[in-house]
Amino acid sequence: MTTVPASFFKHRGVRVEVKDLSKRYRIGPEEVHALRDTDWAIETGTAAAIMGPSGCGKTTLLNLLGGVDRPSSGQIKIDNDDLTSMSERMLEKHRLVNVGFVFQFFNLIPSITAIENLELPMVMAGVSDTECRERAQTLLSLVGLAAKGEKRPEELSGGEQQRVAVALALANDPALILADEPTGNLDSTNAAAISTLLRGLAEDYGKTVILVSHDPKTVEHFPKVYSMRDGQFVAAA
């Protein structure tokens, strides 16, 4: 992995705050509370990890922050923007431009190369072909895969695929990076490398990074670690 000039990323991180945030799902006659009147905030350019068991509300929180889902009640503020008042079209733009997602299962398109995977969201955002290629090559260098751009996902190891996925999350220079169990399919060496890479996006480039995991080894690389249980934050370290 290497570094790129700080000027490559024009958008720095955002402050994230949720107030009285709740999310309820109805499964048959039963109402399930994924989040319960949750209050939480992190400052601009912070690398924060959220730890907790499956079903505690971690992924639900990320989906709400990313504009993938809407809360049942409460408020979500990203800097001065209130996500809870946004239209569907505004949320779509938020997902495309303001947020980068990293998932456990990589979410790469298998039929195209690594560099083409990175170019796709930039094309959707209206970036020129020349700039798409230049930015994609720079992002592959950032994650240590400058020589692997013409490889398809199946030709890469799991750790390499997840590094491409991190680069993909950065394609449109988002201020907020949301990582949902990004090390869940990796061995300990690659898991540590991905956690360190994500932390570095905050430390070196001022991005706001929120990672969720149930693995203590993954979250120990982050300077701020919060705990969730039963849909609420219960402690911070």
Side-chain angles (χ1 to χ4, degrees):
M1 299 179 207
T2 186
T3 57
V4 301
S7 59
F8 176 77
F9 294 113
K10 294 181 172 57
H11 299 124
R12 295 300 182 258
V14 287
R15 186 178 190 274
V16 176
E17 182 179 13
V18 302
K19 292 182 177 180
D20 297 323
L21 193 65
S22 292
K23 181 63 180 179
R24 298 179 294 275
Y25 299 97
R26 184 162 292 281
I27 302 177
E30 184 179 359
E31 188 173 67
V32 177
H33 291 254
L35 290 174
R36 297 173 180 268
D37 301 320
T38 298
D39 294 327
W40 185 64
I42 61 169
E43 300 303 321
T44 300
T46 298
I50 302 172
M51 186 176 174
S54 297
C56 72
K58 306 186 304 296
T59 294
T60 297
L61 177 63
L62 288 197
N63 287 341
L64 295 175
L65 296 180
V68 176
D69 201 357
R70 289 184 180 273
S72 301
S73 60
Q75 187 179 51
I76 305 167
K77 294 199 73 174
I78 308 293
D79 275 350
N80 295 319
D81 295 327
D82 183 355
L83 262 63
T84 51
S85 65
M86 286 185 177
S87 66
E88 289 301 322
R89 188 166 185 175
M90 292 170 70
L91 286 176
E92 182 179 344
K93 182 178 180 181
H94 172 69
R95 293 191 296 268
L96 178 63
V97 177
N98 299 331
V99 184
F101 295 93
V102 184
F103 301 99
Q104 179 177 348
F105 295 104
F106 314 142
N107 277 30
L108 302 175
I109 299 173
S111 60
I112 62 177
T113 66
I115 201 165
E116 288 169 340
N117 267 278
L118 300 192
E119 290 173 328
L120 186 58
M122 290 186 263
V123 170
M124 294 173 63
V127 179
S128 70
D129 291 346
T130 299
E131 187 178 353
C132 281
R133 181 54 54 116
E134 290 175 352
R135 285 188 60 82
Q137 289 174 333
T138 300
L139 288 169
L140 285 174
S141 295
L142 173 65
V143 299
L145 295 175
K148 301 283 182 87
E150 299 305 320
K151 301 286 188 182
R152 287 185 170 83
E154 65 182 14
E155 300 174 290
L156 301 172
S157 69
E160 289 171 338
Q161 289 185 64
Q162 193 60 299
R163 280 191 270 165
V164 174
V166 172
L168 179 62
L170 294 166
N172 284 329
D173 192 13
L176 177 62
I177 307 297
L178 303 176
D180 190 359
E181 300 281 2
T183 64
N185 286 334
L186 304 178
D187 60 38
S188 59
T189 300
N190 281 305
I194 292 298
S195 296
T196 300
L197 174 60
L198 289 167
R199 185 192 68 207
L201 298 177
E203 294 176 345
D204 299 333
Y205 304 108
K207 302 294 186 183
T208 299
V209 180
I210 303 174
L211 172 148
V212 304
S213 179
H214 64 272
D215 181 10
K217 290 293 185 182
T218 295
V219 303
E220 71 182 11
H221 296 277
F222 275 58
K224 288 187 177 293
V225 180
Y226 299 84
S227 294
M228 287 190 76
R229 188 172 296 276
D230 299 329
Q232 292 182 317
F233 285 94
V234 294

